[in-house]
């Protein structure tokens, strides 16, 4: 159904209905949800994780801290 609204109304509606692609549903993502879980619980050092997954060290750090992909 269609409803009148501005752009923010549309964004809020999209988010409320769960129609936002995130994480593994984003086509260009490099890491699966399983990869993120592995990284969070891994005892490997950052350098080896960067080489294994071909991502930047800052991204690995943010995943471990829960700042990236917190819903996984």
């Amino acid at each position: 159904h269609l409803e009148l609204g501005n752009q923010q109304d549309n964004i809020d509606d999209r988010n409320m209905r769960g129609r936002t692609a995130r994480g593994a549903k984003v086509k260009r993502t490099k890491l699966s949800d399983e990869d993120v879980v592995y990284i969070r619980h891994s005892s490997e050092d950052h350098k080896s994780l960067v080489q294994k997954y071909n991502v930047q060290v800052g991204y690995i750090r943010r995943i471990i801290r829960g700042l990236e992909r917190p819903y996984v």
Side-chain angles (χ1 to χ4, degrees):
H1 67 283
L2 297 175
E3 295 180 25
L4 289 177
N6 60 28
Q7 182 178 13
Q8 188 60 52
D9 293 334
N10 291 332
I11 292 169
D12 294 341
D13 185 60
R14 177 196 67 196
N15 293 340
M16 182 182 70
R17 295 173 192 265
R19 294 184 178 154
T20 303
R22 17 181 247 185
K25 291 182 180 180
V26 176
K27 293 179 182 178
R28 65 174 192 228
T29 190
K30 290 186 176 185
L31 301 177
S32 68
D33 289 346
E34 291 81 16
D35 294 336
V36 172
V37 170
Y38 177 82
I39 290 168
R40 286 212 178 107
H41 297 96
S42 176
S43 60
E44 292 183 52
D45 65 347
H46 291 66
K47 186 176 180 179
S48 62
L49 291 169
V50 164
Q51 292 172 346
K52 182 175 184 174
Y53 292 106
N54 192 30
V55 295
Q56 295 182 358
V57 69
Y59 191 54
I60 296 291
R61 287 183 184 134
R62 289 191 304 273
I63 287 172
I64 292 170
R65 291 181 189 147
L67 301 175
E68 292 285 345
R69 313 268 293 268
Y71 46 85
V72 175

